[in-house]
Amino acid sequence: MALNIFWFIPTFGDSQYLGEKSGSRIIDFNYSKQIAVAADNLGFDGVLIPTGRLCEDPWVVASSLIGATQNLKFLVALRPGLLQPSLAARMTATLDRFSNGRVAINLVAGGDKTELEGDGLYQNPEERYEAAAEFVDVWRDILKSSYKKELVNFDGKFYKTTNAKLLYPPVQKTTPPLFFGGSSNEARELAAQKVDLYITWGERPQDVKEKIEDLKKRASKYGRILRFGVRLHVIVRETEEEAWSVAEKLISKLDDETIQQHHKVLEKRESIGQKRMTALTNGGKARSREELEISPNLWAGIGLAREGCATALVGSPQIVVERITEYADMGVDTFVFSGYPHLEEAYKFAELVFPLLPNRVKNKLSGITEGETFGGVLNDETHK
């Protein structure tokens, strides 16, 4: 099975150490462009651009990177409630047209209550997912209207539109693929009914398998087939020992007070997915490798100082590929990876892992042809 491998644009900041200002990097356009260009040149299929009040706006970021890249897809967050479906459809179509079809959409219906209210969203979780389902229907119908030459009318509980239409169609005639993640019952039902690809944070393989089997059953009730993805950090080095040393270095400047403060905030989160992530570190109490390695080569140490996706694959290229294959054998075809710092780790992953992945074109750095120098070393061909 051919795998889709995405990287990550850290629009909330980047660092060499978690929870520590030293070694941190301020995210600006030039640094974001560096990561995007690197990911494009290295052969990643796309990049996830996150959302939230701690992040730069994902639509502006994606738009600014179109001209700097050639093949890279942009997985852009779309939050129902902040935009009307008609405006969201026009934005999607424009970004898709200007990038020549390099757009995928990450539907975000959940989130922190305080942040949502700061954005003017006061719905309870059940209402948010119900509203998101309506939003997707209207958004899709409007995107398709430019090809069908039909007006869109909708009268729902949360959204209403009369004679909506889209004049400039997207390049992707089936509409850009819709990604979505969530662990609650409401989120799973929304995924089963409306989205193209369900993506989960990197939980234990057996827990990911349970989610996939549950989503398959739910989707089959609606006559639908879902695709699946996993969001993970990754720390890969030539040897397993070196990779684990880098993992320990990443959290080496965290102190107990910082961890406690971080998890005090996380305790207030309503997200079921976040609660599942937090539990992997025993609420921030786990410290040793033995406690944090929750499954072979699956490390929860990042969750000591980061919310959201908080696990990493750690190991040699061969081991990382083995772990990727475990998820792929369950039906996962898309992986969204990241690493600290994101620029350097994009190279580490591509150089070490891409040549070992099955059914995938090897990255450019592995294709040195006869007569070329490699690492500045002279040979008979170059000296002629």
Side-chain angles (χ1 to χ4, degrees):
M1 178 172 59
L3 301 179
N4 301 300
I5 308 295
F6 282 58
W7 197 243
F8 186 81
I9 305 290
T11 61
F12 47 76
D14 203 0
S15 183
Q16 300 180 51
Y17 301 96
L18 290 180
E20 171 61 38
K21 290 184 178 180
S22 63
S24 63
R25 298 173 183 175
I26 296 174
I27 294 295
D28 57 15
F29 170 70
N30 286 329
Y31 187 61
S32 297
K33 184 171 73 171
Q34 277 186 283
I35 297 174
V37 170
D40 194 31
N41 289 338
L42 290 167
F44 286 92
D45 294 295
V47 286
L48 169 63
I49 305 175
T51 188
R53 64 181 177 184
L54 295 177
C55 306
E56 298 284 6
D57 180 78
W59 290 85
V60 174
V61 173
S63 300
S64 70
L65 296 174
I66 291 174
T69 54
Q70 296 180 338
N71 301 304
L72 203 66
K73 290 183 174 65
F74 300 103
L75 180 51
V76 184
L78 178 60
R79 186 185 289 281
L82 295 186
L83 297 171
Q84 286 293 319
S86 57
L87 177 57
R90 285 198 293 274
M91 290 170 60
T92 302
T94 299
L95 189 59
D96 197 56
R97 287 167 62 83
F98 280 26
S99 67
N100 194 27
R102 295 189 284 134
V103 177
I105 301 297
N106 182 27
L107 184 70
V108 181
D112 173 52
K113 182 175 183 292
T114 301
E115 181 175 341
L116 290 170
E117 291 180 354
D119 285 337
L121 301 176
Y122 292 89
Q123 297 164 336
N124 63 42
E126 293 77 14
E127 290 173 329
R128 285 204 305 272
Y129 289 109
E130 188 179 355
E134 285 191 6
F135 182 98
V136 170
D137 286 342
V138 183
W139 173 79
R140 276 199 172 121
D141 284 347
I142 294 175
L143 281 170
K144 295 175 181 177
S145 69
S146 59
Y147 291 107
K148 295 181 178 181
K149 306 300 180 183
E150 297 175 350
L151 299 177
V152 176
N153 292 280
F154 186 88
D155 190 2
K157 180 179 178 181
F158 298 94
Y159 294 101
K160 181 177 181 179
T161 185
T162 303
N163 294 335
K165 63 181 178 180
L166 182 68
L167 297 179
Y168 302 100
V171 172
Q172 301 179 73
K173 294 186 178 181
T174 58
T175 73
L178 192 63
F179 288 50
F180 173 78
S183 295
S184 68
N185 180 65
E186 293 85 359
R188 295 187 189 202
E189 275 298 300
L190 176 62
Q193 296 179 52
K194 302 295 181 182
V195 307
D196 302 306
L197 186 148
Y198 176 85
I199 188 164
T200 177
W201 287 329
E203 300 180 7
R204 297 181 180 93
Q206 60 266 33
D207 295 326
V208 172
K209 184 176 181 180
E210 178 276 324
K211 278 187 172 181
I212 290 175
E213 293 305 317
D214 177 57
L215 266 295
K216 283 182 177 179
K217 291 178 182 178
R218 291 176 188 251
S220 67
K221 293 188 303 182
Y222 303 102
R224 304 186 71 243
I225 297 176
L226 285 176
R227 293 171 53 209
F228 296 96
V230 173
R231 166 83 178 97
L232 281 159
H233 302 279
V234 64
I235 300 172
V236 59
R237 293 297 186 271
E238 292 184 3
T239 67
E240 187 172 9
E241 293 75 15
E242 185 183 359
W244 281 111
S245 176
V246 172
E248 292 295 334
K249 180 182 177 182
L250 186 61
I251 60 172
S252 63
K253 298 193 177 186
L254 280 175
D255 55 39
D256 288 345
E257 182 180 356
T258 299
I259 295 172
Q260 290 171 6
Q261 289 177 348
H262 174 70
H263 283 269
K264 188 176 181 180
V265 174
L266 292 185
E267 288 173 1
K268 300 176 182 179
R269 297 286 194 258
E270 296 177 344
S271 166
I272 301 299
Q274 182 61 67
K275 292 182 185 298
R276 290 169 70 116
M277 283 282 104
T278 303
L280 298 178
T281 64
N282 190 22
K285 297 181 178 64
R287 292 291 190 276
S288 66
R289 172 179 164 181
E290 290 73 24
E291 293 176 299
L292 292 170
E293 190 177 3
I294 57 175
S295 183
N297 304 100
L298 183 63
W299 183 62
I302 290 176
L304 295 176
R306 187 192 192 281
E307 65 179 312
C309 175
T311 52
L313 296 181
V314 181
S316 67
Q318 294 77 15
I319 286 175
V320 168
V321 169
E322 286 179 15
R323 300 298 170 247
I324 291 174
T325 303
E326 287 180 3
Y327 289 115
D329 287 343
M330 300 175 193
V332 173
D333 67 26
T334 299
F335 293 84
V336 178
F337 289 115
S338 56
Y340 295 93
H342 288 74
L343 180 60
E344 290 89 329
E345 292 303 306
Y347 278 93
K348 289 289 185 183
F349 184 89
E351 292 170 352
L352 294 173
V353 176
F354 276 178
L356 303 181
L357 288 177
N359 301 319
R360 186 177 180 86
V361 177
K362 292 184 179 181
N363 71 85
K364 299 174 184 177
L365 295 178
S366 67
I368 301 300
T369 60
E370 185 177 357
E372 289 184 293
T373 61
F374 185 61
V377 177
L378 297 175
N379 55 41
D380 288 341
E381 290 296 321
T382 60
H383 197 58
K384 288 179 180 178

